[in-house]
Amino acid sequence: MIQNTRWSLGAEWRLGYHDMHGYEAEFHLGRYIGKMQWLMPFIGFDWRYRKMNDEVEKNIFGQENTKDRRAVLSAGVNYTLPMLVMAQAEVFQDGNVRFQLMREDIPVSKRLRMGFMVNTDTEYMLEAKYILARNFSIRTHYDSDMGFGVGLNLNY
């Protein structure tokens, strides 16, 4: 993520171990609005691929869920709720709508951090991070689509 006082450019990549876990990339460019900067309209691009059965899934709105194969532009808005929970509403070019709640870096103790995400595509995520040094930590992550993962985190 690259940010200044008004603009935010973010990218997120996920790579699964197998085609069943898939791969994902999301990019968002947004501008914070207002004095307190709680609101950020954005545009984005979402690309994902998973090789699952050919069963058609639905999101909670009854729309066809395209999370197995998606390459779409989007427009949306982020709003920071109390306790720094990020609420996101996004509309994709194919007409699908997604709402999401997310919070990262929840302090549990001096060295332990937690995080969560849940959205209307019936996806959810839980994560834990243990800080080993100022710029280095280990983390674990469970994603409803990709499963369990472990990794190293480097902050600079």
Side-chain angles (χ1 to χ4, degrees):
M1 181 178 288
I2 298 171
Q3 291 183 302
N4 66 16
T5 56
R6 292 286 177 193
W7 291 92
S8 175
L9 175 63
E12 187 175 336
W13 297 274
R14 292 186 192 102
L15 301 172
Y17 298 119
H18 309 287
D19 282 347
M20 182 186 79
H21 296 133
Y23 358 98
E24 302 178 13
E26 288 185 45
F27 304 92
H28 292 119
L29 173 65
R31 186 175 194 289
Y32 289 100
I33 305 295
K35 183 178 179 182
M36 299 302 288
Q37 299 182 357
W38 300 117
L39 182 69
M40 184 185 74
F42 66 85
I43 57 171
F45 180 73
D46 190 356
W47 178 81
R48 29 181 99 188
Y49 171 78
R50 254 186 351 170
K51 186 158 180 73
M52 295 293 285
N53 53 21
D54 291 330
E55 192 176 299
V56 176
E57 293 182 37
K58 303 277 186 183
N59 64 18
I60 67 167
F61 301 119
Q63 299 169 323
E64 183 177 327
N65 194 334
T66 59
K67 66 182 180 182
D68 290 342
R69 284 184 183 83
R70 179 186 293 171
V72 290
L73 297 171
S74 67
V77 63
N78 283 347
Y79 187 77
T80 306
L81 298 171
M83 299 186 62
L84 301 177
V85 173
M86 186 65 65
Q88 182 182 77
E90 191 169 14
V91 178
F92 298 103
Q93 77 184 37
D94 60 5
N96 280 0
V97 175
R98 179 174 67 186
F99 293 107
Q100 179 170 288
L101 293 174
M102 182 174 179
R103 168 79 196 265
E104 295 178 316
D105 209 36
I106 302 168
V108 176
S109 71
K110 186 175 180 179
R111 294 190 175 263
L112 182 63
R113 304 290 186 263
M114 303 291 286
F116 74 91
M117 181 276 299
V118 63
N119 68 31
T120 57
D121 284 342
T122 64
E123 295 174 306
Y124 60 91
M125 176 274 299
L126 297 170
E127 68 180 356
K129 179 169 65 171
Y130 186 78
I131 300 168
L132 298 171
R134 180 178 175 204
N135 297 327
F136 191 68
S137 58
I138 57 174
R139 62 184 293 168
T140 184
H141 181 102
Y142 181 80
D143 186 283
S144 60
D145 289 345
M146 295 199 168
F148 179 73
V150 175
L152 304 173
N153 198 62
L154 176 64
N155 294 325
Y156 58 93

